[in-house]
Amino acid sequence: MRLGLLTACLPGESLEAIARWAGDHGYASLEVAAWPDRPGRDWEAAHLNVEAFGQADADRVTSMLDRHGLSISAVAYYENNLHADPAVREATHAHLRRCVDAARLLGVGLVGTFVGRDVTLTMAENLRLAERVLPPLVEYAAARDVRLVIENCPMEGWHPDGYPANLAYSPELWDWMAGLGLWLNYDPSHLVWLGIDPLAALEAHAERILHVQAKDVEVHAAARDRYGVFGQVLGRRPWVSGWWRYRIPGLGEVDWRRLIDALHQHGYEGVVSVEHEDPVWSGDPGRVRKGLTIAHRTLAPHVHI
């Protein structure tokens, strides 16, 4: 097992600058952000230009990472593959295919993404839509020795009322995803605020986990008593529930000692990738790096046994 980080937390820095810092501070792998290079939401970045990525680019990136003692755990493009606008959906699929192409050239076997949701349709209708449009993407990846790993984030900010907008948020759906040829990028933080035991979910689906994201979550129970599990309604802002927030591993509710021990017991030999979305340790690159340092201090004793 190795400890890595998702580069999206440092969108304004070059991949080489991130690699230099990560290698110098005990990290072994990078989950490399590969969104299109245009303005997007927070916590996304373009550290690989997959829209114009050839073998020479792959050789350059691999050589640079080797100098810093790093590998790539996955190419990261977490977007809505069921977007309600067919044109946006097709553009998303086209970029995802370019991520797969880049992963093949880099010798990386995983590309991280979401299932997503068409928020104009019911959940049942979304399941049928996914069953139609996702298998060709799975087949495209498989033909290039790449597997798609799906993060179990609800992506509630994509829904106008804050309801789940990624059909991977619930363990109930993970077997359905497996039937489509999709694998799991397991992130325990989302399960905690949904009221799901992250350890029980891991134990039940360990064989589908090919990648792990390490993010924590801080829950304010008194605020939940006011707003309920679906979050604040009056004056609602996207991505703000009013009663929970993401934190750096070690500053929230997740029991990392037991969780990583369970991964060891199930033979997981992949990467635990820190996904830094902590608002306390954000705002400038220096604070982000301090957050990543806290995460390393929390996780490394359990990962490096």
Side-chain angles (χ1 to χ4, degrees):
M1 203 183 300
R2 289 161 290 142
L3 187 57
L5 64 91
L6 173 58
T7 66
C9 60
L10 291 164
E13 303 217 354
S14 70
L15 182 58
E16 182 158 14
I18 296 170
R20 183 183 307 111
W21 184 90
D24 288 345
H25 288 80
Y27 283 95
S29 193
L30 298 180
E31 182 184 358
V32 183
W35 277 265
D37 190 10
R38 55 178 178 265
R41 66 179 184 273
D42 291 341
W43 312 112
E44 63 183 56
H47 289 128
L48 288 179
N49 180 14
V50 300
E51 294 172 351
F53 195 82
Q55 188 60 59
D57 301 295
D59 293 343
R60 175 181 52 80
V61 169
T62 301
S63 177
M64 180 272 292
L65 293 175
D66 285 345
R67 290 198 303 273
H68 298 291
L70 297 169
S71 63
I72 299 179
S73 65
V75 174
Y77 176 53
Y78 297 96
E79 264 305 340
N80 188 352
N81 284 291
L82 301 181
H83 197 283
D85 184 331
V88 173
R89 185 192 308 159
E90 180 48 43
T92 300
H93 293 179
H95 191 81
L96 183 62
R97 289 191 290 268
R98 299 294 79 77
C99 289
V100 169
D101 294 340
R104 179 185 65 82
L105 292 173
L106 289 161
V108 177
L110 303 177
V111 170
T113 191
F114 292 133
V115 172
R117 177 180 178 177
D118 180 341
V119 297
T120 71
L121 301 178
T122 67
M123 290 292 280
E125 290 168 335
N126 269 274
L127 292 172
R128 305 294 84 78
L129 173 62
E131 289 162 3
R132 186 173 75 251
V133 305
L134 295 186
L137 295 171
V138 171
E139 293 164 9
Y140 186 91
R144 290 152 181 83
D145 295 320
V146 174
R147 290 180 283 188
L148 301 180
V149 288
I150 306 297
E151 184 189 349
N152 55 291
C153 179
M155 295 307 290
E156 69 288 348
W158 281 346
H159 193 287
D161 295 319
Y163 302 141
N166 172 32
L167 270 66
Y169 75 97
S170 167
E172 178 190 9
L173 297 169
W174 295 353
D175 289 334
W176 167 81
M177 289 195 326
L180 298 182
L182 298 166
W183 297 79
L184 187 60
N185 186 5
Y186 169 83
D187 183 333
S189 65
H190 310 299
L191 299 168
V192 171
W193 73 261
L194 288 168
I196 299 167
D197 179 350
L199 193 60
L202 186 159
E203 295 279 0
H205 299 275
E207 75 284 354
R208 300 303 300 178
I209 298 172
L210 296 185
H211 198 268
V212 173
Q213 284 186 331
K215 186 162 75 264
D216 218 323
V217 63
E218 181 180 11
V219 171
H220 298 280
R224 183 179 56 203
D225 289 341
R226 172 175 171 77
Y227 296 124
V229 70
F230 298 113
Q232 184 176 357
V233 174
L234 303 177
R236 183 182 190 91
R237 292 176 290 152
W239 311 108
V240 178
S241 74
W243 66 271
W244 63 266
R245 61 181 179 174
Y246 294 126
R247 298 302 311 272
I248 280 293
L251 302 179
E253 313 290 328
V254 177
D255 187 337
W256 294 102
R257 180 185 61 84
R258 293 187 63 211
L259 190 145
I260 294 175
D261 178 62
L263 289 169
H264 280 295
Q265 290 188 51
H266 284 280
Y268 179 75
E269 295 181 343
V271 170
V272 177
S273 178
V274 175
E275 184 184 18
H276 184 340
E277 295 185 355
D278 187 325
V280 176
W281 293 105
S282 297
D284 64 72
R287 290 187 66 80
V288 170
R289 291 190 191 94
K290 288 179 181 177
L292 293 171
T293 300
I294 295 168
H296 185 277
R297 187 165 62 238
T298 299
L299 299 172
H302 308 302
V303 171
H304 303 308
I305 294 178

